[in-house]
Amino acid sequence: MLKFSYCNATDLNQALVQCRFAGSFGPLSSRRRSPRAAVSCSRSNLTPIQAVLSCQQQVGSDPVESELGSLADRLRLGGLTEDGLSYKEKFIIRCYEVGINKTATIETIANLLQEVGGNHAQSVGFSRDGFATSPTMRKLHLIWVTARMHIEVYKYPAWSDVIEIETWCQNEGRIGTRRDWILKDVATGEVIGRATSKWVMMNEDTRRLQKVSDDVKEEYLVFCPREPRLAFPEENNKSLKKISKLEDPVQYSRLGLMPRRADLDMNQHVNNVTYIGWVLESMPEEIIDTHELQTITLDYRRECQRDDVVDSLTGPELVEGSKIHGTNGSATAITREDDLDCHQFLHLLRLSSDGQEINRGRTEWRKKPT
Amino acid sequence: MVATAATSSFFPITSSPDSIDSKNKKLGNGSTNLGGIKLKPSASSGSLQVKANAQAPPKINGTTVVMTPVEGFPSEDAASSLPPRTFINQLPDWSMLLAAMTTIFLAAEKQWMMLDWKPKRPDMLIDPFGIGRIVQDGLVFRQNFSIRSYEIGADRTASIETLMNHLQETAINHCKSAGLLGDGFGATPGMCRKNLIWVVTRMQVVVDRYPTWGDVVQVDTWVSASGKNGMRRDWLVSNSKTGEILTRASSVWVMMNKLTRRLSKIPEEVRGEIEPHFMNSDPVVAEDNRKLVKLDDSTAQYVRKGLTPRWSDLDVNQHVNNVKYVGWILESTPLGIVESHELCSMTLEYRRECGRDSVLQSLTAVSGVGNLGNMGEIECQHLLQLEEGSEIVRGRTQWRPKNAKSFGKMDQVPAQSA
């Protein structure tokens, strides 16, 4: 799968060919401009943001000529917003993306978040590897890797619903960057979900983390909002919550999970969305049958490859000071005082062979709407 | 929902009883339909009459646009004269005919675009969402899909599972927009009353070229009778921009009582519901009648055990989605073949469903190398079964070396070892 794949230089050219600005027209360009020119557009004497905006406006005002733009761009129904600082795209939920609840699965949602993140990167001229490897990063063999992913879904879309996802990215600390998303139901306009993710920079050869140098920062920060804009602006929100490590003995487990061919990206690493599926594999069936996933937070620790075998472990999250709520004589979860139908769990994925942690997670579940 | 509003606008075409009943079942009248252009040599004075506007919706920049109901796209057709039924003929010179028609179509499209182009913001386009619409006398359903980044495989082309997901989506959407959806699965209201469901027994897929990320594919699907009590669903997948045929597929369905699990004849009232929607064309894929052998541990060279469904593999009935079987079949196909070859043809026989608690094993045997005079082609036999023995799917796949093009332009490849 083309996810978090570490592209080489030829891929950048290919990605730029598909760039929205490749077919654009206006004072800075001629009809069939070379792919490279799209990036240089942002290095002209205009400030980068102004250049981006002027290209964008040309696309909008000269539509007949835009036949030369890629057909997929026309149909992609996504584009940078007017200020150029975020990207929006619409998606229709297809029937095979819907699960046992007749609503989109969390994996579908996660796939769409990644799709729109990649399309955002591509639309500003960066390569499609899940976030954006800027030209300098590729020269230095630097890539982004996901450190944390946090998704909250308030209302799951059903088959043939159309949702709009807006995404943007920002600096985060010295070694990180974040990408945020807001999901809306196009028909009602209501926000149906939010997500945020934290990424760190790694050298793809040494696999060591690296600080975000200033010239790399400059390259991509022009496309990020200047003022901090958070999908989760509220204080002490759950996306910041530390996840404790689940200790043995665990209550629920599913052992011996193996990657399928379709789970692997071009570099034979398991893609991030597969981990979500694995985490849910060890959820007790009585919760899956009666509840839907409201929140999932995953901390990614270690990559997983084709021949790895993984154990998925789940246990209730113990909250200090709450009562233990017994069901059928066994403690399934701690209920929060204010929400009796909510269950919280901790998760751990580790290698079967030596117990090394791959990632840890936290989920919250609410009763299914009737 | 936006989607429902758009699909409801299609009912005027299909539910008008006069237009459906008066269609003549003219077999082989020589007219061929592609991309909404109807060539009717008999209807006009012997010349090819290209009606670009009757069937093909206006295109913007090569994009097929469905006008909103306000602009009255569907009602144009219902009001115009009833065109005779046309059929997709599998002519020997199909590729030439295709090329000629594509040229005509693109020319007409360009003309149309100039006449009626209106600037539209992307969020006003409806069909590119992929809702799809009925075309061609109300018998063919067409839907576009853009290939998303998570749908492609390691070689940057759409995976066979992605293609089959699209086929499944158009099948369901066809039933929905033709008013045939009593439940979520293409069972008509009459079938629901009698506890009958459609069950797929056989599927054949031929891939001439895989779409890549960013391509937009157009999927056409229609149904025909299959014998007395079966139904055949055909699909034609083409590159939305160039019209090149990418994939052809054909599936056979039988009716089963969902309570007794016994096969059933088609009751008269259900026949009345579905027959108006039958196209009764020739199959789009020539039927491969060769028997599929059942592999076992001694005849299979490759076995992958311990395959278990994940939550996301299950459909709303908690059965494993049919398309997932294909992924499992490929799990035991040797990596050497998968990496150097691409799947060009697949025949599947569905035997049994499986659910959440099933544990499966996938067996593969390489049954032929260099078949059919094509250097480098490999043929495999497959079996997907529960570990306790029950068969789920039998299959046969054919693989051609990657980068070998179809339509006779085979590259020279060194002989592949099996």
Side-chain angles (χ1 to χ4, degrees), chain B residues 356-393:
Chain B
R356 166 79 178 152
D357 299 321
S358 310
V359 183
L360 298 105
Q361 56 189 28
S362 169
L363 290 75
T364 292
V366 179
S367 60
V369 179
N371 284 344
L372 314 171
N374 291 322
M375 280 293 289
E377 273 209 12
I378 296 177
E379 185 177 270
C380 296
Q381 308 278 352
H382 303 274
L383 178 68
L384 188 64
Q385 66 184 163
L386 297 181
E387 277 189 352
E388 47 89 339
S390 314
E391 279 186 68
I392 307 289
V393 181

mmCIF file of all heavy atoms in Angstrom, chain B residues 356-393:
data_model
loop_
_atom_site.group_PDB
_atom_site.id
_atom_site.type_symbol
_atom_site.label_atom_id
_atom_site.label_comp_id
_atom_site.label_asym_id
_atom_site.label_seq_id
_atom_site.Cartn_x
_atom_site.Cartn_y
_atom_site.Cartn_z
ATOM 1 N N ARG B 356 -16.898 -15.125 11.472
ATOM 2 C CA ARG B 356 -15.889 -14.566 12.339
ATOM 3 C C ARG B 356 -14.982 -15.628 12.967
ATOM 4 O O ARG B 356 -13.779 -15.424 13.115
ATOM 5 C CB ARG B 356 -16.608 -13.765 13.435
ATOM 6 C CG ARG B 356 -15.771 -13.388 14.608
ATOM 7 C CD ARG B 356 -14.903 -12.217 14.298
ATOM 8 N NE ARG B 356 -14.137 -11.864 15.472
ATOM 9 C CZ ARG B 356 -12.953 -11.282 15.439
ATOM 10 N NH1 ARG B 356 -12.419 -10.965 14.295
ATOM 11 N NH2 ARG B 356 -12.318 -10.992 16.552
ATOM 12 N N ASP B 357 -15.565 -16.735 13.356
ATOM 13 C CA ASP B 357 -14.781 -17.708 14.118
ATOM 14 C C ASP B 357 -14.099 -18.753 13.258
ATOM 15 O O ASP B 357 -13.514 -19.692 13.785
ATOM 16 C CB ASP B 357 -15.686 -18.403 15.151
ATOM 17 C CG ASP B 357 -16.263 -17.402 16.132
ATOM 18 O OD1 ASP B 357 -15.504 -16.488 16.514
ATOM 19 O OD2 ASP B 357 -17.445 -17.515 16.497
ATOM 20 N N SER B 358 -14.176 -18.591 11.960
ATOM 21 C CA SER B 358 -13.568 -19.601 11.100
ATOM 22 C C SER B 358 -12.055 -19.483 11.125
ATOM 23 O O SER B 358 -11.499 -18.403 11.274
ATOM 24 C CB SER B 358 -14.055 -19.415 9.661
ATOM 25 O OG SER B 358 -15.455 -19.322 9.607
ATOM 26 N N VAL B 359 -11.410 -20.628 10.964
ATOM 27 C CA VAL B 359 -9.966 -20.628 10.752
ATOM 28 C C VAL B 359 -9.737 -21.305 9.409
ATOM 29 O O VAL B 359 -10.213 -22.417 9.179
ATOM 30 C CB VAL B 359 -9.215 -21.395 11.860
ATOM 31 C CG1 VAL B 359 -7.709 -21.299 11.624
ATOM 32 C CG2 VAL B 359 -9.574 -20.845 13.227
ATOM 33 N N LEU B 360 -9.050 -20.627 8.523
ATOM 34 C CA LEU B 360 -8.956 -21.125 7.152
ATOM 35 C C LEU B 360 -7.530 -21.453 6.775
ATOM 36 O O LEU B 360 -6.574 -20.982 7.398
ATOM 37 C CB LEU B 360 -9.478 -20.060 6.180
ATOM 38 C CG LEU B 360 -10.928 -19.658 6.340
ATOM 39 C CD1 LEU B 360 -11.018 -18.303 6.998
ATOM 40 C CD2 LEU B 360 -11.625 -19.626 5.014
ATOM 41 N N GLN B 361 -7.422 -22.246 5.713
ATOM 42 C CA GLN B 361 -6.101 -22.443 5.109
ATOM 43 C C GLN B 361 -6.217 -22.270 3.607
ATOM 44 O O GLN B 361 -7.252 -22.558 3.002
ATOM 45 C CB GLN B 361 -5.531 -23.807 5.472
ATOM 46 C CG GLN B 361 -6.393 -24.978 5.107
ATOM 47 C CD GLN B 361 -5.856 -26.269 5.688
ATOM 48 O OE1 GLN B 361 -5.195 -26.260 6.731
ATOM 49 N NE2 GLN B 361 -6.116 -27.384 5.032
ATOM 50 N N SER B 362 -5.135 -21.775 3.044
ATOM 51 C CA SER B 362 -5.112 -21.441 1.629
ATOM 52 C C SER B 362 -4.064 -22.326 0.962
ATOM 53 O O SER B 362 -2.915 -22.363 1.388
ATOM 54 C CB SER B 362 -4.760 -19.958 1.475
ATOM 55 O OG SER B 362 -4.486 -19.644 0.136
ATOM 56 N N LEU B 363 -4.493 -23.061 -0.091
ATOM 57 C CA LEU B 363 -3.583 -23.963 -0.792
ATOM 58 C C LEU B 363 -3.409 -23.512 -2.232
ATOM 59 O O LEU B 363 -4.368 -23.075 -2.872
ATOM 60 C CB LEU B 363 -4.153 -25.393 -0.811
ATOM 61 C CG LEU B 363 -4.208 -26.189 0.486
ATOM 62 C CD1 LEU B 363 -5.312 -25.728 1.404
ATOM 63 C CD2 LEU B 363 -4.408 -27.659 0.176
ATOM 64 N N THR B 364 -2.195 -23.643 -2.724
ATOM 65 C CA THR B 364 -1.915 -23.256 -4.106
ATOM 66 C C THR B 364 -1.042 -24.316 -4.751
ATOM 67 O O THR B 364 -0.116 -24.843 -4.133
ATOM 68 C CB THR B 364 -1.177 -21.904 -4.152
ATOM 69 O OG1 THR B 364 -2.059 -20.872 -3.712
ATOM 70 C CG2 THR B 364 -0.715 -21.575 -5.564
ATOM 71 N N ALA B 365 -1.367 -24.606 -6.022
ATOM 72 C CA ALA B 365 -0.488 -25.454 -6.813
ATOM 73 C C ALA B 365 -0.233 -24.753 -8.131
ATOM 74 O O ALA B 365 -1.151 -24.208 -8.735
ATOM 75 C CB ALA B 365 -1.156 -26.811 -7.060
ATOM 76 N N VAL B 366 1.005 -24.767 -8.568
ATOM 77 C CA VAL B 366 1.323 -24.178 -9.868
ATOM 78 C C VAL B 366 1.055 -25.252 -10.909
ATOM 79 O O VAL B 366 1.677 -26.314 -10.890
ATOM 80 C CB VAL B 366 2.783 -23.727 -9.924
ATOM 81 C CG1 VAL B 366 3.105 -23.150 -11.289
ATOM 82 C CG2 VAL B 366 3.044 -22.691 -8.847
ATOM 83 N N SER B 367 0.084 -24.976 -11.767
ATOM 84 C CA SER B 367 -0.357 -26.049 -12.662
ATOM 85 C C SER B 367 0.118 -25.883 -14.086
ATOM 86 O O SER B 367 -0.084 -26.760 -14.903
ATOM 87 C CB SER B 367 -1.884 -26.140 -12.635
ATOM 88 O OG SER B 367 -2.424 -24.911 -13.074
ATOM 89 N N GLY B 368 0.697 -24.780 -14.411
ATOM 90 C CA GLY B 368 1.142 -24.655 -15.801
ATOM 91 C C GLY B 368 2.065 -23.473 -15.971
ATOM 92 O O GLY B 368 1.865 -22.417 -15.375
ATOM 93 N N VAL B 369 3.067 -23.686 -16.784
ATOM 94 C CA VAL B 369 3.985 -22.590 -17.089
ATOM 95 C C VAL B 369 4.061 -22.478 -18.585
ATOM 96 O O VAL B 369 4.193 -23.486 -19.273
ATOM 97 C CB VAL B 369 5.384 -22.861 -16.521
ATOM 98 C CG1 VAL B 369 6.334 -21.729 -16.876
ATOM 99 C CG2 VAL B 369 5.326 -23.037 -15.021
ATOM 100 N N GLY B 370 3.951 -21.259 -19.096
ATOM 101 C CA GLY B 370 4.058 -21.089 -20.535
ATOM 102 C C GLY B 370 2.854 -21.634 -21.266
ATOM 103 O O GLY B 370 2.949 -22.127 -22.377
ATOM 104 N N ASN B 371 1.694 -21.525 -20.647
ATOM 105 C CA ASN B 371 0.468 -22.022 -21.290
ATOM 106 C C ASN B 371 0.072 -21.174 -22.477
ATOM 107 O O ASN B 371 0.455 -20.029 -22.600
ATOM 108 C CB ASN B 371 -0.693 -21.982 -20.297
ATOM 109 C CG ASN B 371 -0.596 -23.111 -19.309
ATOM 110 O OD1 ASN B 371 0.140 -24.059 -19.554
ATOM 111 N ND2 ASN B 371 -1.303 -23.004 -18.227
ATOM 112 N N LEU B 372 -0.765 -21.720 -23.280
ATOM 113 C CA LEU B 372 -1.437 -20.986 -24.353
ATOM 114 C C LEU B 372 -0.443 -20.277 -25.265
ATOM 115 O O LEU B 372 -0.750 -19.274 -25.854
ATOM 116 C CB LEU B 372 -2.413 -19.933 -23.781
ATOM 117 C CG LEU B 372 -3.304 -20.421 -22.650
ATOM 118 C CD1 LEU B 372 -4.036 -19.258 -22.027
ATOM 119 C CD2 LEU B 372 -4.308 -21.440 -23.164
ATOM 120 N N GLY B 373 0.731 -20.830 -25.351
ATOM 121 C CA GLY B 373 1.696 -20.237 -26.266
ATOM 122 C C GLY B 373 2.247 -18.913 -25.810
ATOM 123 O O GLY B 373 3.017 -18.271 -26.530
ATOM 124 N N ASN B 374 1.866 -18.456 -24.622
ATOM 125 C CA ASN B 374 2.392 -17.173 -24.146
ATOM 126 C C ASN B 374 3.570 -17.416 -23.233
ATOM 127 O O ASN B 374 3.431 -17.970 -22.159
ATOM 128 C CB ASN B 374 1.315 -16.412 -23.380
ATOM 129 C CG ASN B 374 0.228 -15.935 -24.301
ATOM 130 O OD1 ASN B 374 0.507 -15.536 -25.422
ATOM 131 N ND2 ASN B 374 -1.005 -16.006 -23.851
ATOM 132 N N MET B 375 4.700 -16.995 -23.675
ATOM 133 C CA MET B 375 5.899 -17.218 -22.872
ATOM 134 C C MET B 375 5.755 -16.525 -21.534
ATOM 135 O O MET B 375 5.389 -15.373 -21.463
ATOM 136 C CB MET B 375 7.119 -16.628 -23.605
ATOM 137 C CG MET B 375 7.655 -17.510 -24.687
ATOM 138 S SD MET B 375 8.354 -19.022 -24.011
ATOM 139 C CE MET B 375 9.826 -18.402 -23.225
ATOM 140 N N GLY B 376 6.104 -17.224 -20.510
ATOM 141 C CA GLY B 376 6.155 -16.569 -19.212
ATOM 142 C C GLY B 376 4.841 -16.579 -18.459
ATOM 143 O O GLY B 376 4.795 -16.184 -17.307
ATOM 144 N N GLU B 377 3.752 -17.039 -19.084
ATOM 145 C CA GLU B 377 2.501 -17.074 -18.336
ATOM 146 C C GLU B 377 2.481 -18.271 -17.415
ATOM 147 O O GLU B 377 2.955 -19.336 -17.756
ATOM 148 C CB GLU B 377 1.303 -17.133 -19.288
ATOM 149 C CG GLU B 377 0.854 -15.768 -19.708
ATOM 150 C CD GLU B 377 -0.627 -15.699 -20.037
ATOM 151 O OE1 GLU B 377 -1.364 -16.648 -19.729
ATOM 152 O OE2 GLU B 377 -1.005 -14.679 -20.613
ATOM 153 N N ILE B 378 1.895 -18.061 -16.254
ATOM 154 C CA ILE B 378 1.853 -19.116 -15.245
ATOM 155 C C ILE B 378 0.401 -19.318 -14.850
ATOM 156 O O ILE B 378 -0.365 -18.355 -14.760
ATOM 157 C CB ILE B 378 2.683 -18.709 -14.006
ATOM 158 C CG1 ILE B 378 4.149 -18.581 -14.392
ATOM 159 C CG2 ILE B 378 2.518 -19.731 -12.879
ATOM 160 C CD1 ILE B 378 5.030 -18.126 -13.258
ATOM 161 N N GLU B 379 0.047 -20.561 -14.604
ATOM 162 C CA GLU B 379 -1.306 -20.840 -14.154
ATOM 163 C C GLU B 379 -1.243 -21.545 -12.802
ATOM 164 O O GLU B 379 -0.396 -22.406 -12.580
ATOM 165 C CB GLU B 379 -2.018 -21.728 -15.171
ATOM 166 C CG GLU B 379 -3.470 -21.950 -14.831
ATOM 167 C CD GLU B 379 -4.163 -22.777 -15.898
ATOM 168 O OE1 GLU B 379 -4.689 -22.171 -16.843
ATOM 169 O OE2 GLU B 379 -4.161 -24.010 -15.769
ATOM 170 N N CYS B 380 -2.132 -21.160 -11.902
ATOM 171 C CA CYS B 380 -2.163 -21.764 -10.569
ATOM 172 C C CYS B 380 -3.566 -22.240 -10.262
ATOM 173 O O CYS B 380 -4.546 -21.658 -10.712
ATOM 174 C CB CYS B 380 -1.768 -20.753 -9.493
ATOM 175 S SG CYS B 380 -0.095 -20.153 -9.626
ATOM 176 N N GLN B 381 -3.626 -23.278 -9.453
ATOM 177 C CA GLN B 381 -4.904 -23.729 -8.916
ATOM 178 C C GLN B 381 -4.927 -23.398 -7.442
ATOM 179 O O GLN B 381 -3.882 -23.455 -6.773
ATOM 180 C CB GLN B 381 -5.037 -25.260 -9.062
ATOM 181 C CG GLN B 381 -4.779 -25.790 -10.441
ATOM 182 C CD GLN B 381 -5.994 -25.662 -11.319
ATOM 183 O OE1 GLN B 381 -7.068 -25.317 -10.856
ATOM 184 N NE2 GLN B 381 -5.816 -25.947 -12.594
ATOM 185 N N HIS B 382 -6.115 -23.099 -6.921
ATOM 186 C CA HIS B 382 -6.203 -22.674 -5.533
ATOM 187 C C HIS B 382 -7.353 -23.360 -4.829
ATOM 188 O O HIS B 382 -8.354 -23.719 -5.453
ATOM 189 C CB HIS B 382 -6.449 -21.163 -5.453
ATOM 190 C CG HIS B 382 -5.416 -20.358 -6.148
ATOM 191 N ND1 HIS B 382 -4.236 -19.974 -5.567
ATOM 192 C CD2 HIS B 382 -5.387 -19.861 -7.408
ATOM 193 C CE1 HIS B 382 -3.532 -19.280 -6.425
ATOM 194 N NE2 HIS B 382 -4.206 -19.192 -7.557
ATOM 195 N N LEU B 383 -7.201 -23.464 -3.518
ATOM 196 C CA LEU B 383 -8.315 -23.907 -2.688
ATOM 197 C C LEU B 383 -8.252 -23.132 -1.388
ATOM 198 O O LEU B 383 -7.191 -23.005 -0.773
ATOM 199 C CB LEU B 383 -8.208 -25.412 -2.388
ATOM 200 C CG LEU B 383 -9.315 -25.935 -1.476
ATOM 201 C CD1 LEU B 383 -10.660 -25.896 -2.170
ATOM 202 C CD2 LEU B 383 -9.016 -27.363 -1.028
ATOM 203 N N LEU B 384 -9.400 -22.607 -0.990
ATOM 204 C CA LEU B 384 -9.511 -21.977 0.313
ATOM 205 C C LEU B 384 -10.506 -22.821 1.098
ATOM 206 O O LEU B 384 -11.626 -23.029 0.642
ATOM 207 C CB LEU B 384 -10.025 -20.554 0.145
ATOM 208 C CG LEU B 384 -10.033 -19.649 1.361
ATOM 209 C CD1 LEU B 384 -8.625 -19.389 1.856
ATOM 210 C CD2 LEU B 384 -10.698 -18.323 1.014
ATOM 211 N N GLN B 385 -10.080 -23.347 2.221
ATOM 212 C CA GLN B 385 -10.975 -24.209 2.983
ATOM 213 C C GLN B 385 -10.825 -23.950 4.469
ATOM 214 O O GLN B 385 -9.809 -23.421 4.925
ATOM 215 C CB GLN B 385 -10.691 -25.693 2.673
ATOM 216 C CG GLN B 385 -9.348 -26.153 3.135
ATOM 217 C CD GLN B 385 -9.029 -27.592 2.748
ATOM 218 O OE1 GLN B 385 -7.878 -27.981 2.786
ATOM 219 N NE2 GLN B 385 -10.000 -28.387 2.388
ATOM 220 N N LEU B 386 -11.868 -24.346 5.210
ATOM 221 C CA LEU B 386 -11.743 -24.309 6.654
ATOM 222 C C LEU B 386 -10.739 -25.374 7.069
ATOM 223 O O LEU B 386 -10.596 -26.399 6.402
ATOM 224 C CB LEU B 386 -13.093 -24.620 7.304
ATOM 225 C CG LEU B 386 -14.226 -23.625 7.032
ATOM 226 C CD1 LEU B 386 -15.485 -24.056 7.763
ATOM 227 C CD2 LEU B 386 -13.829 -22.230 7.456
ATOM 228 N N GLU B 387 -10.064 -25.126 8.165
ATOM 229 C CA GLU B 387 -9.044 -26.111 8.550
ATOM 230 C C GLU B 387 -9.660 -27.456 8.845
ATOM 231 O O GLU B 387 -9.000 -28.481 8.707
ATOM 232 C CB GLU B 387 -8.222 -25.580 9.736
ATOM 233 C CG GLU B 387 -7.135 -24.654 9.223
ATOM 234 C CD GLU B 387 -6.115 -24.224 10.252
ATOM 235 O OE1 GLU B 387 -6.307 -24.505 11.444
ATOM 236 O OE2 GLU B 387 -5.120 -23.605 9.848
ATOM 237 N N GLU B 388 -10.944 -27.461 9.188
ATOM 238 C CA GLU B 388 -11.592 -28.761 9.412
ATOM 239 C C GLU B 388 -12.061 -29.403 8.124
ATOM 240 O O GLU B 388 -12.604 -30.489 8.154
ATOM 241 C CB GLU B 388 -12.750 -28.610 10.407
ATOM 242 C CG GLU B 388 -13.680 -27.453 10.151
ATOM 243 C CD GLU B 388 -14.863 -27.749 9.237
ATOM 244 O OE1 GLU B 388 -14.788 -28.722 8.463
ATOM 245 O OE2 GLU B 388 -15.853 -27.024 9.298
ATOM 246 N N GLY B 389 -11.836 -28.734 6.997
ATOM 247 C CA GLY B 389 -12.027 -29.418 5.721
ATOM 248 C C GLY B 389 -13.016 -28.813 4.756
ATOM 249 O O GLY B 389 -12.844 -28.966 3.551
ATOM 250 N N SER B 390 -14.079 -28.149 5.210
ATOM 251 C CA SER B 390 -15.096 -27.655 4.276
ATOM 252 C C SER B 390 -14.493 -26.657 3.304
ATOM 253 O O SER B 390 -13.737 -25.773 3.688
ATOM 254 C CB SER B 390 -16.228 -26.968 5.014
ATOM 255 O OG SER B 390 -16.637 -27.716 6.100
ATOM 256 N N GLU B 391 -14.892 -26.809 2.042
ATOM 257 C CA GLU B 391 -14.383 -25.901 1.012
ATOM 258 C C GLU B 391 -15.095 -24.578 1.044
ATOM 259 O O GLU B 391 -16.317 -24.529 1.146
ATOM 260 C CB GLU B 391 -14.678 -26.487 -0.364
ATOM 261 C CG GLU B 391 -13.712 -27.538 -0.821
ATOM 262 C CD GLU B 391 -14.041 -27.917 -2.244
ATOM 263 O OE1 GLU B 391 -13.848 -27.072 -3.145
ATOM 264 O OE2 GLU B 391 -14.518 -29.042 -2.453
ATOM 265 N N ILE B 392 -14.353 -23.519 0.916
ATOM 266 C CA ILE B 392 -14.959 -22.202 0.820
ATOM 267 C C ILE B 392 -14.947 -21.735 -0.642
ATOM 268 O O ILE B 392 -15.980 -21.370 -1.194
ATOM 269 C CB ILE B 392 -14.224 -21.173 1.697
ATOM 270 C CG1 ILE B 392 -14.104 -21.661 3.132
ATOM 271 C CG2 ILE B 392 -14.910 -19.826 1.627
ATOM 272 C CD1 ILE B 392 -15.393 -21.686 3.909
ATOM 273 N N VAL B 393 -13.767 -21.751 -1.254
ATOM 274 C CA VAL B 393 -13.654 -21.279 -2.638
ATOM 275 C C VAL B 393 -12.651 -22.164 -3.369
ATOM 276 O O VAL B 393 -11.621 -22.520 -2.818
ATOM 277 C CB VAL B 393 -13.148 -19.814 -2.710
ATOM 278 C CG1 VAL B 393 -13.053 -19.337 -4.145
ATOM 279 C CG2 VAL B 393 -14.030 -18.888 -1.921
#
